[in-house]
Amino acid sequence: MKRYVIYRRVSTEEQGKSGLGLEAQHRDIALFLENFSEEPYEVIGEFEDHLSGKHDERPQLAAALELVRKTGAELLVAKLDRLSRKVSFIATLMDDPKVKLRVASMPSADKFQLHIYAALAEQEREFISARTKAALAEAKAKGVKLGGLRDKTMKRNEVVKANARARAEKVAQTVQPLRAQGASLRQIAEALNASGVPTARGGRWQASQVKRVLERLQAVG
């Protein structure tokens, strides 16, 4: 039987970006398992980090890799940059004889192709960073007040946070009592879905979203 250890990662800044959120990762992994995995298969572990891909020290990734090396299962990620944004980190991992890597969005890619993709993605990020710095320097030379742009961004972020808190408070009467009774995050998500309560984007609830709601309610409380 084919066995998988699933790893997902998202940073605070990426939560709302299309294609990078946890919902999208859940979707891509589910599509891979349904359409591209060998049958039968078993998911023996799921791990999730809420940290930037620039950091190599990620406790949940370390735990996922430990389970992979121990059991011989394959590490399954939605996209390669969910594993890391550093080509050196990915290359080192692929050189590990005890680690087998599968990427849901590239179901047929071999190690060589994954390595090339990681290198090209890193070059693209470096170019985008250089282009952004050049644009900011040019704007500053023309007398544009960059601080004003940052202030607008901060205000927009505050509005986003306020909306998130308001949405959390709307489901508080369902989420908090269930949690107090010992219900798991997944069970609470299933209860919200069964009640027809949509997420902010109109989708179905996942355990990770319930966790964020509880954290926001705790912060407000």
Side-chain angles (χ1 to χ4, degrees):
M1 177 181 290
K2 176 69 68 175
R3 293 182 295 176
Y4 295 103
V5 172
I6 294 173
Y7 175 72
R8 291 178 287 266
R9 180 189 64 77
V10 71
S11 71
T12 303
E13 293 79 7
E14 293 169 340
Q15 288 282 2
K17 293 183 181 180
S18 176
L20 293 175
L22 289 173
E23 285 186 29
Q25 293 179 59
H26 277 285
R27 178 200 63 212
D28 289 352
I29 289 172
L31 286 172
F32 170 86
L33 292 174
E34 182 178 350
N35 296 287
F36 298 98
S37 175
E38 297 177 17
E39 297 284 352
Y41 70 82
E42 178 185 11
V43 176
I44 64 172
E46 297 187 45
F47 300 85
E48 190 175 290
D49 274 316
H50 289 238
L51 294 167
S52 170
K54 297 178 181 179
H55 299 296
D56 289 342
E57 294 184 5
R58 282 171 277 157
Q60 291 302 301
L61 176 58
L65 289 172
E66 181 179 358
L67 183 58
V68 165
R69 294 184 178 107
K70 181 179 179 181
T71 63
E74 293 188 2
L75 181 67
L76 175 60
V77 297
K79 295 184 178 181
L80 196 56
D81 64 2
R82 299 302 86 198
L83 184 60
S84 178
R85 292 185 180 277
K86 297 181 179 180
V87 65
S88 58
F89 182 90
I90 293 172
T92 299
L93 197 59
M94 288 193 293
D95 284 339
D96 189 332
K98 292 185 178 181
V99 175
K100 297 178 181 178
L101 174 64
R102 296 298 298 271
V103 180
S105 60
M106 295 183 287
S108 302
D110 57 25
K111 282 189 175 183
F112 176 75
Q113 292 170 321
L114 292 175
H115 196 148
I116 294 298
Y117 177 85
L120 291 174
E122 185 173 84
Q123 288 184 17
E124 182 182 25
R125 285 191 296 271
E126 290 174 352
F127 178 81
I128 291 173
S129 177
R131 183 177 62 190
T132 301
K133 290 178 181 178
L136 290 173
E138 182 178 352
K140 186 175 181 180
K142 292 179 179 180
V144 177
K145 294 182 179 180
L146 300 178
L149 296 175
R150 287 195 295 270
D151 290 342
K152 291 181 181 179
T153 300
M154 291 177 65
K155 290 179 181 178
R156 184 169 61 250
N157 290 342
E158 287 301 319
V159 172
V160 171
K161 290 179 181 178
N163 289 337
R165 286 194 296 270
R167 290 193 297 270
E169 290 170 358
K170 285 184 179 180
V171 296
Q173 294 182 348
T174 300
V175 172
Q176 289 179 320
L178 287 174
R179 191 59 168 170
Q181 294 171 14
S184 68
L185 298 176
R186 189 179 299 277
Q187 288 171 329
I188 296 173
E190 291 174 351
L192 290 170
N193 291 328
S195 300
V197 179
T199 64
R201 294 186 178 184
R204 292 179 60 80
W205 288 87
Q206 303 289 343
S208 57
Q209 295 167 299
V210 175
K211 180 181 178 182
R212 289 197 295 275
V213 165
L214 288 169
E215 289 172 347
R216 291 188 182 113
L217 291 173
Q218 185 176 4
V220 172

